[in-house]
Amino acid sequence: MTTLREMRRLLAQRQFRLLWLAQSTSVIGDEIVFVALALFVVQRTGSATDLGLVFAAYVLPLVVFLLVGGVWADRVARNRLMLTADLVRFVLHGVLAALIFAGVSQIWEVVVIGVLFGTAEAFARPAANGLLPQTVDEPDIQAATAVTTMSNNVAEFAGPALATALVLGAGAGWAFALDAATFLLSAAFLSRLRPRRRDAGEPVLASPDGGEGREPAPAERPGVWAEIRAGGREVRARKWVWATLASFCGGVFFGFAPWFVLGPLVAKTQYGHVGVFGLVQAALGLGTIAGSLIAIRWRPRFPMRTGTLVNLLCPASIMLYAAGVTLIVVVPAAVVSGSGIALFDVWWLTALAERIPPQSLSRVSSYDWMVSLGLLPLGFLIAGPLGASLGTVDVLLWGSVIATLVFALGLLPRETRMLRRLDARPPRPPAQLAEEGVGGLPHRR
């Protein structure tokens, strides 16, 4: 009941409610499209190569343009940038739906639309991460992040089932039409959003002109690449940030890429039916919902240490699955591991929001997305050939073992292990707070 009261309290705040409604509607469409693309391409051509090409068209521009998107999200009003990206994606998937309805869609057209869609998303994701802390007071950042993560996880749980029903029932065109409509609705909510200005955060690194913490006027603002480098300096200045990103880059490559590519095949080998993969994936999704709810109230003293440890449960559960352990063990393990993923995600995003200077948060978030997903396309490409030559079970099993070790390496820096929840720090005198640029804002957990 306490968690539900906290959710109602947060959603009663107009600005956060508008952002939550915008993101919740658009993410439902995103989850529908992920499965709809796979089913549509398989129905259309039956070619795994075409499917890989389409997925790459959506993912590669996202990775390539994230840093530029982060710069613009720190330069302009983030809600307006998200609104523009929503309108672009509304048009793109609206056109794709029309092509499918007309029966004239070609794979090359889907690829072109995917490239443009991924580019727009590269601007929307960093803007969303930077905008959320502007819709609530500083003490509510973690709870607001948890509520948003929970709605995203609900969409990840329900979206694939809805996509399957639409594509196999009404037709693929309706899946993309629904996704287009969600972006239009999201844009309507964002048009009414009026975010606050944030002044909290760790001290800003010295800018090239020697200033600290002063937002430059447009006429004196440095170029895009200079601002990308400035965002990189913010990342490199914090061991807990770059060590975590590096560990996730390797962990996603070794663990999650083989899971999505080889997981269905391993299900057929170890459990006799490909549908077991869907069952385990649903259990993991259920766990992420539970973890998001827990994160609304659970605020560990050392969030990065605790978050990294609970995140290790995910590759561990994949090991059990790959080894063919009974589903009586695997399914509950997937639920628990999903909770660990959600808990880490909430604590990580909260730590970034509280400690990165507000005017640099979107750029740092773009590095987060780019580095974490940087090797994922390559992982998608090589997992299949490796599974064919070395065995799908062995590749998935040993990949998850290596992923566990790589994720654990993120704890090597003492700064990561000892990063404290803000209200667990010793009180600092007002003079020191002023010197650090924190502004004396209280942090409640």
Side-chain angles (χ1 to χ4, degrees):
M1 293 300 294
T2 302
T3 298
L4 292 177
R5 284 198 299 269
E6 186 77 356
M7 291 176 61
R8 286 196 297 267
R9 182 183 68 83
L10 288 167
L11 292 173
Q13 301 178 38
R14 174 181 170 81
Q15 304 309 320
F16 174 69
R17 183 173 67 252
L18 288 171
L19 179 61
W20 179 80
L21 288 170
Q23 289 188 285
S24 296
T25 53
S26 64
V27 78
I28 289 173
D30 289 342
E31 294 304 323
I32 290 174
V33 163
F34 184 80
V35 176
L37 279 171
L39 296 176
F40 169 68
V41 173
V42 169
Q43 285 182 332
R44 183 72 174 77
T45 70
S47 170
T49 300
D50 287 342
L51 180 57
L53 182 62
V54 168
F55 277 149
Y58 275 79
V59 174
L60 284 176
L62 170 64
V63 174
V64 169
F65 290 106
L66 271 168
L67 295 183
V68 177
V71 169
W72 282 100
D74 282 334
R75 279 185 171 187
V76 303
R78 290 166 176 141
N79 54 317
R80 295 178 184 173
L81 185 60
M82 289 178 64
L83 188 153
T84 302
D86 278 350
L87 292 177
V88 170
R89 290 180 288 180
F90 158 71
V91 171
L92 290 171
H93 275 180
V95 169
L96 180 55
L99 290 172
I100 295 173
F101 284 137
V104 296
S105 61
Q106 302 293 324
I107 292 300
W108 71 265
E109 294 169 335
V110 181
V111 168
V112 171
I113 288 173
V115 169
L116 297 175
F117 187 98
T119 302
E121 191 172 2
F123 288 80
R125 287 197 182 188
N129 285 355
L131 182 59
L132 186 145
Q134 294 181 260
T135 63
V136 294
D137 293 331
E138 297 295 316
D140 289 332
I141 290 175
Q142 176 173 322
T145 302
V147 171
T148 301
T149 301
M150 182 200 65
S151 61
N152 293 345
N153 292 335
V154 170
E156 291 176 5
F157 181 71
L162 183 55
T164 302
L166 284 171
V167 175
L168 300 183
W174 289 105
F176 292 102
L178 177 59
D179 184 45
T182 63
F183 284 119
L184 188 60
L185 184 58
S186 173
F189 288 126
L190 289 170
S191 68
R192 303 169 62 190
L193 181 62
R194 301 294 180 269
R196 70 182 178 92
R197 180 181 177 86
R198 294 182 68 216
D199 296 317
E202 288 184 353
V204 182
L205 298 180
S207 60
D209 62 2
E212 288 190 12
R214 180 175 63 87
E215 187 173 353
E220 61 184 44
R221 181 174 283 147
V224 171
W225 290 111
E227 294 201 41
I228 289 176
R229 290 194 296 270
R233 288 196 297 271
E234 295 285 357
V235 172
R236 293 193 303 272
R238 298 165 175 85
K239 290 181 181 179
W240 66 274
V241 174
W242 62 254
T244 301
L245 295 186
S247 69
F248 264 76
C249 183
V252 167
F253 174 75
F254 286 107
F256 290 105
W259 166 253
F260 286 110
V261 175
L262 303 178
L265 300 176
V266 171
K268 193 171 183 179
T269 300
Q270 296 287 50
Y271 299 99
H273 197 286
V274 70
V276 171
F277 175 76
L279 173 65
V280 176
Q281 186 69 18
L284 192 147
L286 184 62
T288 61
I289 297 172
S292 303
L293 289 171
I294 295 170
I296 293 176
R297 303 293 301 177
W298 186 15
R299 296 171 171 86
R301 186 178 184 186
F302 299 101
M304 291 307 302
R305 181 199 304 175
T306 308
T308 301
L309 291 175
V310 297
N311 185 65
L312 297 179
L313 297 171
C314 185
S317 70
I318 295 177
M319 290 182 216
L320 298 175
Y321 174 87
V325 174
T326 175
L327 291 177
I328 297 175
V329 174
V330 169
V331 171
V335 174
V336 173
S337 70
S339 299
I341 293 173
L343 287 168
F344 173 86
D345 193 34
V346 170
W347 295 332
W348 164 252
L349 292 175
T350 301
L352 291 180
E354 291 178 334
R355 291 168 172 83
I356 302 299
Q359 61 268 41
S360 302
L361 180 55
S362 288
R363 274 172 288 173
V364 172
S365 295
S366 69
Y367 274 94
D368 176 12
W369 282 107
M370 185 197 70
V371 176
S372 298
L373 301 180
L375 293 179
L376 185 60
L378 177 61
F380 283 152
L381 291 174
I382 70 173
L386 281 177
S389 61
L390 302 177
T392 56
V393 170
D394 287 340
V395 171
L396 184 58
L397 178 61
W398 288 106
S400 59
V401 171
I402 296 172
T404 302
L405 298 175
V406 173
F407 280 132
L409 290 177
L411 287 174
L412 283 180
R414 185 179 186 277
E415 185 178 321
T416 304
R417 299 191 307 273
M418 302 308 295
L419 190 77
R420 290 174 179 262
R421 188 179 69 226
L422 287 185
D423 64 4
R425 292 176 176 177
R428 290 170 291 174
Q432 182 182 353
L433 289 171
E435 182 181 346
E436 293 180 357
V438 175
L441 289 176
H443 293 273
R444 177 178 55 81
R445 286 293 175 270

